[in-house]
Amino acid sequence: MAIRMVGVIGYGLMGGGIAQTCAQSGYETVVCEVNQPLLDKGMARIYAAWDMMASKGMLTQGQVDENRSRLHGTLNMEDFADCDLVIEAVIENMEEKLRLFPALDHILKPGALLLTNTSSLNVTQMGAVTKRADKVCGLHFFNPAPVMKLVEVVRTISSSDETIETVRQFALSLGKTPVLAKDTAGFIVNFLLIPYLLAAIRMLENGMASRDDIDTAMKLGCGYPMGPFTLLDYVGLDTTMWAAEAIYFEYKDPLYAPPPLLRRMVQSGMYGKKSGRGFYTYE
Ligand code: CAA
């Protein structure tokens, strides 16, 4: 099946990065948000990224203009009616996803694929509330989506071979390297990454080392681009906690239980870089 027009629902950090990636890869891209200020904020972030890329010589002004002309914002999900593929990137809340999926199923044309960018929630359950479970799968991007090369293609017990192959080819057309994961909480990356991040928080809680020394140790000792606290702030403490809770819910393995400090920081609105404060403070 040929993909020409892509829909993205949710214009946060991930939805914005995904929409940017699709539009700059040549796809007509429609992004839907719930209100105009959020839509404007999402647009401004992508325009700024393209201007930054042009200033570095990564894009010509002509390419920036073309990218802009392919990116369309809307407040109305009905505008997804002509899309060949829609990627859901709203808040990591299952109730919200289970409300959205039947609504999208109703709007989308019969052959269209319905994907979720969830990092750890149950994709099979999202497919099961639609009449197109064979056309539902996960396509999990990593932050920052335009830069990180990996995507996880998440196969449910109902996803068809054709859906998975189309989505794999779509990922390649975005310049990404797809890996295939079964629909089990955390897929591949978060199943491994979350226990590492939570262990760093527990080390800090227990006074085993300082924030800065833990970050420095993992950067310089293991060659990671960011230490765990910088990465936690970058990914979002709220997002990390939701992912941990989803995996804990599935396996009841204490490795995935959010440490008290993480929960309290999230309860205090310290979400990391996006809220100006997490383990570090941002201007
Ligand atoms: N669009 C296009 N290009 C962008 C961009 C954007 N929105 N944002 C940044 N870039 C480009 C920059 O222009 C720069 O390009 P050049 O190297 O050609 O100049 C490049 O990306 C790197 O950016 P910076 O120079 O600003 O910063 P950096 O070199 O320190 O790298 C980083 C930043 C890529 C984020 C790096 O620190 C890194 O890889 N960190 C780890 C990120 C990570 O682990 N992400 C996964 C988190 S887990 C997750 O997302 C899943 C989940 O479910 C929780």
Side-chain angles (χ1 to χ4, degrees):
M1 166 190 185
I3 308 293
R4 276 185 305 273
M5 188 182 283
V6 174
V8 178
I9 182 153
Y11 221 171
L13 219 53
M14 293 310 296
I18 294 168
Q20 179 189 334
T21 307
C22 294
Q24 71 193 29
S25 302
Y27 292 100
E28 287 297 321
T29 306
V30 184
V31 198
C32 184
E33 250 302 349
V34 288
N35 62 46
Q36 195 63 44
L38 286 176
L39 200 57
D40 292 344
K41 193 175 164 191
M43 279 300 175
R45 205 188 289 134
I46 297 186
Y47 287 175
W50 283 332
D51 289 344
M52 178 271 292
M53 289 168 79
S55 73
K56 286 186 173 182
M58 295 158 80
L59 292 177
T60 63
Q61 192 52 49
Q63 287 169 319
V64 172
D65 296 341
E66 278 173 27
N67 289 348
R68 281 190 180 217
S69 71
R70 278 193 291 266
L71 184 63
H72 315 281
T74 180
L75 299 176
N76 186 356
M77 286 202 305
E78 304 275 343
D79 290 337
F80 287 150
D82 291 329
C83 289
D84 303 300
L85 178 158
V86 169
I87 306 170
E88 171 278 311
V90 304
I91 187 168
E92 284 287 70
N93 174 301
M94 198 61 178
E95 271 174 35
E96 188 60 23
K97 314 250 186 204
L98 295 180
R99 193 186 61 76
L100 259 180
F101 267 64
L104 287 167
D105 185 34
H106 188 70
I107 291 165
L108 298 193
K109 58 187 180 186
L113 305 184
L114 184 45
L115 277 44
T116 174
N117 177 57
T118 186
S119 67
S120 24
L121 294 175
N122 183 328
V123 183
T124 310
Q125 201 181 349
M126 295 179 215
V129 295
T130 73
K131 294 192 174 69
R132 63 179 78 213
D134 59 321
K135 296 187 174 59
V136 172
C137 73
L139 183 62
H140 181 213
F141 291 78
F142 294 82
N143 188 21
V147 178
M148 302 308 279
K149 288 285 172 224
L150 186 77
V151 287
E152 291 174 318
V153 176
V154 182
R155 178 170 203 150
T156 76
I157 49 174
S158 308
S159 313
S160 70
D161 290 344
E162 192 191 350
T163 296
I164 297 301
E165 186 48 26
T166 306
V167 171
R168 229 179 52 77
Q169 292 300 334
F170 173 66
L172 290 170
S173 77
L174 299 179
K176 303 297 182 195
T177 300
V179 291
L180 191 61
K182 278 192 188 169
D183 178 30
T184 54
F187 316 133
I188 299 172
V189 171
N190 277 339
F191 194 77
L192 294 170
L193 179 66
I194 296 289
Y196 157 69
L197 295 175
L198 300 188
I201 301 174
R202 288 191 201 101
M203 283 182 82
L204 188 68
E205 279 181 327
N206 297 338
M208 289 161 75
S210 70
R211 173 200 71 182
D212 290 357
D213 280 355
I214 296 171
D215 265 1
T216 302
M218 295 313 290
K219 263 185 85 169
L220 303 187
C222 291
Y224 289 5
M226 294 173 161
F229 295 108
T230 311
L231 185 57
L232 277 156
D233 278 1
Y234 194 73
V235 167
L237 272 56
D238 49 347
T239 306
T240 306
M241 190 178 82
W242 293 326
E245 280 176 339
I247 309 175
Y248 182 75
F249 178 77
E250 185 124 301
Y251 297 107
K252 304 293 180 289
D253 183 334
L255 267 181
Y256 297 92
L261 177 61
L262 176 63
R263 193 175 298 284
R264 278 157 186 71
M265 288 178 75
V266 172
Q267 285 164 343
S268 307
M270 296 181 198
Y271 300 143
K273 206 171 171 192
K274 64 185 165 190
S275 72
R277 203 166 159 206
F279 287 99
Y280 294 88
T281 303
Y282 304 84
E283 288 307 311

